Amino acid sequence: MFGGIKSPGLPPLPGEEAPKSVLSVSKTVKKFCDLKVKFDWAAKTRIEVERALNWFAGFVGQDRSVSTITTDDVRDFRDALLKLPASFSQSKKYKGMTFREAAAAGTDGKTLSKGSALKYMGGVRSFLAWCEDEGYAHNNPARKVKVPVKGNPNDERYLTCPRKSDPG
């Protein structure tokens, strides 16, 4: 009945660092952002990516082990992101709401722009690819999750947020 299920083990003792496979989403996001800002990101990039990753962490569970995130979690986040009201964090209507609550509350017709949706999903995808590369996760659950983008009203395409190391 429980075949294939593995226990992540006991939590670390005070003063000890958790093994890579059981680090929480919030702690792993912090490690990722601290590393990227040191070597790769400008201040504006950190703000934008950190915003998306904080939304993602709140959505999937900040204390959850990053190694347990699934493709369904990423797909559900993408779907909520596409329903998110434009500038929700600056609107009085959505004041005090979490990302999930604002996405569920609906909009007055205006949602995030396609550029913002791609940028935010790109940050999540980059984070999860890094988690895989660093051994915090066994795979990248965002690898095949696509963001629908309408350019021409007659042409709906699904785009992925390419990773620097991805061919093409």
Side-chain angles (χ1 to χ4, degrees), residues 16-72:
E16 292 181 356
E17 187 168 320
K20 284 184 176 184
S21 63
V22 294
L23 277 179
S24 69
V25 174
S26 61
K27 286 182 181 178
T28 313
V29 163
K30 183 175 179 354
K31 281 182 174 252
F32 174 74
C33 290
D34 288 348
L35 182 69
K36 288 295 193 174
V37 79
K38 199 172 203 177
F39 299 105
D40 296 332
W41 290 345
K44 181 180 177 192
T45 302
R46 180 183 183 136
I47 291 167
E48 292 172 345
V49 175
E50 206 163 23
R51 176 185 306 132
L53 293 178
N54 286 332
W55 289 344
F56 182 71
F59 189 84
V60 299
Q62 294 184 5
D63 296 328
R64 178 179 176 181
S65 171
V66 75
S67 65
T68 66
I69 295 171
T70 66
T71 300
D72 285 339

Side-chain angles (χ1 to χ4, degrees), residues 24-144:
S24 69
V25 174
S26 61
K27 286 182 181 178
T28 313
V29 163
K30 183 175 179 354
K31 281 182 174 252
F32 174 74
C33 290
D34 288 348
L35 182 69
K36 288 295 193 174
V37 79
K38 199 172 203 177
F39 299 105
D40 296 332
W41 290 345
K44 181 180 177 192
T45 302
R46 180 183 183 136
I47 291 167
E48 292 172 345
V49 175
E50 206 163 23
R51 176 185 306 132
L53 293 178
N54 286 332
W55 289 344
F56 182 71
F59 189 84
V60 299
Q62 294 184 5
D63 296 328
R64 178 179 176 181
S65 171
V66 75
S67 65
T68 66
I69 295 171
T70 66
T71 300
D72 285 339
D73 294 323
V74 177
R75 191 177 301 114
D76 291 346
F77 176 78
R78 180 226 29 220
D79 294 347
L81 183 67
L82 295 173
K83 294 176 186 172
L84 194 67
S87 303
F88 95 91
S89 59
Q90 299 167 358
S91 171
K92 289 179 183 177
K93 179 179 177 180
Y94 304 102
K95 186 174 181 165
M97 288 188 183
T98 65
F99 168 88
R100 186 184 293 270
E101 292 166 343
T107 69
D108 300 329
K110 189 163 174 130
T111 57
L112 282 181
S113 70
K114 65 182 177 183
S116 292
L118 283 169
K119 175 175 54 180
Y120 293 141
M121 277 304 295
V124 170
R125 189 168 190 263
S126 176
F127 165 68
L128 292 170
W130 177 84
C131 288
E132 178 186 24
D133 292 345
E134 293 290 313
Y136 297 114
H138 302 292
N139 63 9
N140 177 358
R143 180 172 286 125
K144 294 185 179 181

